[in-house]
Amino acid sequence: MTAVRTEVRRPERVSDQPPARGISYNQEQICLLSSFYPGNQAYNAQAAIHVRGELDLAVLERAVSYVVARHEMLRTTISLDDDGFRATVHEPFDFAIPLHDLSGLPSPDRLPACDAVRRGLQDRVFDVARLPLLTIDAVRLAADEWTLIQVEHHVVHDGWSFGRLWEEIQVAYNALATGRQPDLPPLQAQYQQFVSWQRGRMEGEYGQEAVDFWADYLDGAADVSLGGTPARVDSLDGHLIEATVPADTYGRIRQTARRMAVSPFVLMFSVYARLLAARSGKTDFCVGISVHGRTEAELEPLIGMMVNAMPVRVTVRAEDPPDRVARGIQTSMFRALRYSDVPLSLIVRRMKLTQKPGRNPVFQHCFSFHDSRVPRLEFGGASAEIHEEQSQTAKFEMNIVVIPPSDTRDATHARMFWQFSQRAFARAEAVAFVRDYEHELARVLRES
């Protein structure tokens, strides 16, 4: 009797997957790089939430506890054993928010004291094998003025998750404050199911097709480095420079981008690429951008680390006008976005690229928009404004994060965070590069 071989079709829905014991490719890359730099804060994500009005801290703790119980990723730890990295999902727990009461200080001393508390909290070092990996501290400045300081490890966080987290905390707080139970829609999947789905997808036909694409896309691109070979690779210390793009300048960016038939992000990215080309003498190279990996509707409400660092191949010739460079970059970016959910670590591994401490094997510079939606917060009668922060660290030679204005942010200007590796740049060199970018951006806006 001949056995009939039946091909079993792998379920395509994330919610059909069994929870994985391991971790995602996205988390794995962070854990591997963190092991190169023990005790660093480069993978801390932080924000300050400024609250005006009365805030019930006990209700806020219950609201955060509800969200932590709802999302397994917020109560998951990661350990390393003989079989690799393993995830452990812990039972729900009562989330504690430490209080730092500065309301008794003289009024002029409160904000400086709050800044000191914030700096101390943001320098904390997380152990991914121990809870909590998300912390929120409350600083009371007055009876009707607070600052909430959020710090978490990047293995549980991405920009999309940040907005979802505070949307759900707000809903839960406002329900609990009025004696009701929160009633958020059930999640269709949890993060460990995403891990199973991602691993199955990347280890199958799609993953091979995607890596073949990336091998062809990256073939021949130069390695651009402005900082030379670092003398030491045991540190991720960086120079952080925050710059402001005024509202009128950002308005001109929008207008110019529209005339060029590109997005404001591509326009600002292309100015940076032209500056890299001029400084390095290279005309064909890659710059990284951050893209969210939520390709399935089931993943949109989920809190977890799914963002990818995606290479964008850039071709810049000295004789090309800015609009041609920008449109060429946009075309290249659209081509790459077809496989934007492929983790960089998988590309590196499948292409057998050498990964060394202190050097990314694909690109040394990253330029991204952080434009994920953030909510306008209200806690009962109190209003709150979210203020994202960056740290004095650098995972690349240069990492630029632009936070553009949006309808959910009160600011009409854009914020630019420039992170320069101290291994590659002196502080004065970093300041000069930012100034040169601003001058080049102004010239493009003036002449285009």
Side-chain angles (χ1 to χ4, degrees):
M1 182 174 180
T2 304
V4 177
R5 184 177 177 182
T6 303
E7 187 147 342
V8 178
R9 186 170 179 267
R10 179 176 60 83
E12 295 180 355
R13 287 172 53 86
V14 180
S15 54
D16 289 336
Q17 306 301 310
R21 291 186 60 223
I23 64 177
S24 68
Y25 288 108
N26 318 63
Q27 293 174 315
E28 186 178 71
Q29 179 75 355
I30 291 174
C31 291
L32 287 171
L33 292 176
S34 293
S35 68
F36 289 151
Y37 309 99
N40 78 87
Q41 296 92 32
Y43 290 98
N44 287 7
Q46 53 267 318
I49 296 89
H50 304 297
V51 183
R52 292 194 174 276
E54 294 186 8
L55 185 69
D56 189 323
L57 201 56
V59 173
L60 183 61
E61 287 180 324
R62 291 172 59 203
V64 180
S65 298
Y66 168 82
V67 177
V68 169
R70 179 173 155 82
H71 291 272
E72 290 181 356
M73 187 66 256
L74 297 178
R75 44 191 171 87
T76 297
T77 56
I78 298 172
S79 57
L80 182 62
D81 60 26
D82 293 340
D83 295 324
F85 290 106
R86 288 288 175 259
T88 301
V89 179
H90 300 267
E91 292 297 317
F93 58 90
D94 292 333
F95 191 91
I97 301 178
L99 172 63
H100 308 263
D101 192 349
L102 306 180
S103 60
L105 295 177
S107 183
D109 297 338
R110 293 175 194 168
L111 288 180
C114 182
D115 285 340
V117 172
R118 177 181 55 80
R119 288 193 299 271
L121 293 172
Q122 290 177 351
D123 285 342
R124 66 173 23 125
V125 176
F126 288 100
D127 177 357
V128 296
R130 299 180 59 188
L131 290 176
L133 296 178
L134 160 70
T135 63
I136 300 173
D137 286 64
V139 180
R140 179 160 53 200
L141 300 170
D144 59 353
E145 185 178 2
W146 302 71
T147 294
L148 304 174
I149 300 171
Q150 174 190 349
V151 187
E152 59 185 302
H153 196 284
H154 212 352
V155 291
V156 304
H157 161 97
D158 59 17
W160 183 278
S161 299
F162 178 77
R164 295 295 307 180
L165 174 71
W166 283 102
E167 282 182 347
E168 294 198 1
I169 291 174
Q170 173 184 234
V171 169
Y173 181 97
N174 290 327
L176 293 167
T178 55
R180 297 177 290 112
Q181 287 301 308
D183 189 24
L184 286 166
L187 296 171
Q188 297 181 55
Q190 290 288 347
Y191 189 83
Q192 291 309 118
Q193 291 174 280
F194 161 73
V195 174
S196 288
W197 178 85
Q198 182 195 53
R199 293 273 175 178
R201 179 171 167 82
M202 295 304 162
E203 290 166 7
E205 182 179 344
Y206 172 80
Q208 186 57 57
E209 173 188 311
V211 173
D212 289 345
F213 164 81
W214 283 112
D216 177 69
Y217 181 81
L218 298 173
D219 184 43
D223 182 14
V224 172
S225 176
L226 302 184
T229 303
R232 49 192 298 267
V233 295
D234 60 346
S235 170
L236 291 176
D237 291 344
H239 308 290
L240 175 64
I241 300 172
E242 182 175 352
T244 297
V245 181
D248 60 339
T249 302
Y250 199 80
R252 292 200 302 274
I253 289 171
R254 284 189 170 124
Q255 293 169 0
T256 304
R258 194 177 302 117
R259 287 197 298 270
M260 290 182 175
V262 299
S263 68
F265 165 60
V266 168
L267 172 57
M268 296 182 72
F269 179 100
S270 68
V271 173
Y272 178 68
R274 286 167 59 87
L275 200 55
L276 280 183
R279 291 290 186 89
S280 68
K282 306 291 186 181
T283 61
D284 184 1
F285 52 90
C286 288
V287 176
I289 66 172
S290 294
V291 292
H292 79 75
R294 288 170 169 79
T295 58
E296 311 299 306
E298 294 171 286
L299 300 175
E300 291 184 6
L302 200 57
I303 291 175
M305 174 57 185
M306 300 181 206
V307 71
N308 289 324
M310 186 188 84
V312 174
R313 190 160 181 175
V314 171
T315 303
V316 181
R317 297 179 300 180
E319 64 270 22
D320 288 343
D323 59 339
R324 182 178 299 174
V325 173
R327 286 195 292 271
I329 287 173
Q330 183 162 269
T331 299
S332 179
M333 195 176 294
F334 284 166
R335 183 182 171 211
L337 283 170
R338 179 181 176 186
Y339 296 101
S340 63
D341 62 332
V342 182
L344 185 63
S345 61
L346 183 61
I347 299 170
V348 170
R349 184 181 310 164
R350 295 277 183 89
M351 293 179 62
K352 296 181 169 56
L353 301 177
T354 302
Q355 189 159 350
K356 299 177 181 178
R359 192 166 190 82
N360 186 287
V362 182
F363 50 82
Q364 314 307 320
H365 309 94
C366 203
F367 191 104
S368 298
F369 261 33
H370 180 73
D371 53 2
S372 297
R373 186 181 183 279
V374 294
R376 292 183 180 275
L377 294 176
E378 291 187 357
F379 299 113
S383 62
E385 180 182 352
I386 294 173
H387 196 76
E388 295 100 327
E389 305 284 350
Q390 298 289 331
S391 63
Q392 295 276 357
T393 59
K395 299 183 283 290
F396 304 93
E397 275 195 4
M398 261 186 280
N399 182 40
I400 299 92
V401 178
V402 181
I403 301 180
S406 72
D407 58 0
T408 58
R409 290 184 171 92
D410 292 333
T412 57
H413 61 271
R415 300 168 68 200
M416 291 188 74
F417 293 100
W418 294 77
Q419 293 173 307
F420 293 83
S421 169
Q422 289 187 14
R423 303 188 310 267
F425 297 93
R427 177 79 183 183
E429 293 173 320
V431 171
F433 195 98
V434 175
R435 185 177 62 246
D436 289 347
Y437 176 85
E438 292 172 340
H439 289 166
E440 179 65 13
L441 176 61
R443 187 188 70 78
V444 169
L445 295 178
R446 186 172 59 250
E447 297 178 3
S448 298

